Amino acid sequence: QQPVQSPQAVILREGEDAVINCSSSKALYSVHWYRQKHGEAPVFLMILLKGGEQKGHDKISASFNEKKQQSSLYLTASQLSYSGTYFCGTESVEAAGNKLTFGGGTRVLVKP
Amino acid sequence: DVKVTQSSRYLVKRTGEKVFLECVQDMDHENMFWYRQDPGLGLRLIYFSYDVKMKEKGDIPEGYSVSREKKERFSLILESASTNQTSMYLCASSPRLGIAGTDTQYFGPGTRLTVL
């Protein structure tokens, strides 16, 4: 079953913050975040492994709460270049090291 | 830089035709994946392969098959294309089948397939 992402879409002004959530019904080993710009391939942002680790990529950071089986991606002081669709990919404990299951995506539009 | 290439960016086929989508990666990755991408549904895994001649079903394998005769090449086959297979198809590769977490996937640019 696919993880659920929320919101489905968000519009921001440059400099504003946003949070994207990813929830799974399965126990997770890791969560991966990717961003896809219009007409381009998805590009890896970061991996979070179980243990509640928080990671960052420029002003984009993420957290992983394994007990709640969810991850959140934080866009801080958003820039125009942050526009795109963000996908979480979850690696379940039962299929660890095997495959990712992606969510439906969150479309982010950052306006000047 | 890792490069994953797909044979076509756009493809138009007729219902019932046999369709081949080709994917090639140049980084000696063990794992290769085929996804389809539809609005609101994200990326759904069709098939993946962790070694030459090895394949495993993903979440939506019905109507598809795959072939991996060489490490760098992974083909997706639609035996008899149907209109509900109109979609964007993305290929990806990753360096290893990680025991301590699945490794980063590198995606190709995608093939937009339209079945009429």
Side-chain angles (χ1 to χ4, degrees):
Chain A
Q1 191 158 359
Q2 289 182 273
V4 176
Q5 285 185 237
S6 63
Q8 290 186 329
V10 59
I11 299 174
L12 300 166
R13 290 285 177 192
E14 221 174 344
E16 290 182 338
D17 302 339
V19 181
I20 300 170
N21 298 303
C22 174
S23 294
S24 174
S25 58
K26 298 186 175 185
L28 300 177
Y29 190 89
S30 69
V31 180
H32 303 221
W33 287 95
Y34 287 77
R35 177 173 65 202
Q36 183 180 33
K37 293 182 179 283
H38 184 69
E40 298 181 10
V43 173
F44 169 77
L45 291 176
M46 64 189 79
I47 296 177
L48 299 107
L49 300 178
K50 69 174 185 175
E53 191 174 353
Q54 188 155 352
K55 289 214 168 188
H57 173 87
D58 195 12
K59 287 184 180 169
I60 299 174
S61 61
S63 62
F64 175 28
N65 187 324
E66 63 189 279
K67 286 185 180 177
K68 291 186 178 180
Q69 297 167 188
Q70 51 185 226
S71 176
S72 295
L73 187 74
Y74 306 94
L75 307 181
T76 305
S78 58
Q79 304 168 16
L80 296 177
S81 62
Y82 288 3
S83 292
T85 302
Y86 290 76
F87 295 98
C88 67
T90 55
E91 179 187 12
S92 65
V93 170
E94 66 190 20
N98 193 330
K99 61 175 186 175
L100 293 179
T101 303
F102 286 91
T106 297
R107 294 180 67 179
V108 173
L109 176 62
V110 181
K111 293 186 172 181
Chain B
D1 266 359
V2 175
K3 195 163 185 187
V4 180
T5 56
Q6 295 184 229
S7 49
S8 308
R9 289 301 301 267
Y10 300 93
L11 208 53
V12 180
K13 294 291 181 181
R14 297 220 171 262
T15 302
E17 279 193 81
K18 191 168 185 175
V19 181
F20 293 87
L21 302 182
E22 303 284 333
C23 175
V24 178
Q25 50 94 3
D26 66 356
M27 283 301 291
D28 203 36
H29 286 174
E30 282 83 0
N31 308 318
M32 297 188 76
F33 308 83
W34 273 107
Y35 296 91
R36 65 177 280 176
Q37 182 175 18
D38 299 289
L41 297 177
L43 304 166
R44 291 181 294 165
L45 183 63
I46 304 171
Y47 267 97
F48 64 104
S49 168
Y50 53 87
D51 202 351
V52 175
K53 297 193 187 294
M54 303 300 288
K55 60 185 179 184
E56 290 224 10
K57 292 181 180 179
D59 300 314
I60 52 163
E62 297 78 19
Y64 304 94
S65 62
V66 291
S67 172
R68 194 166 180 201
E69 296 295 319
K70 292 185 177 181
K71 191 175 185 180
E72 68 270 19
R73 189 179 297 270
F74 193 35
S75 303
L76 180 69
I77 304 155
L78 286 68
E79 294 289 343
S80 177
S82 63
T83 55
N84 63 13
Q85 292 178 310
T86 291
S87 187
M88 171 69 84
Y89 289 87
L90 290 166
C91 175
S93 70
S94 71
R96 60 179 166 79
L97 198 66
I99 296 173
T102 303
D103 219 323
T104 304
Q105 293 187 18
Y106 298 87
F107 285 85
T111 295
R112 184 164 293 283
L113 173 67
T114 302
V115 182
L116 302 174

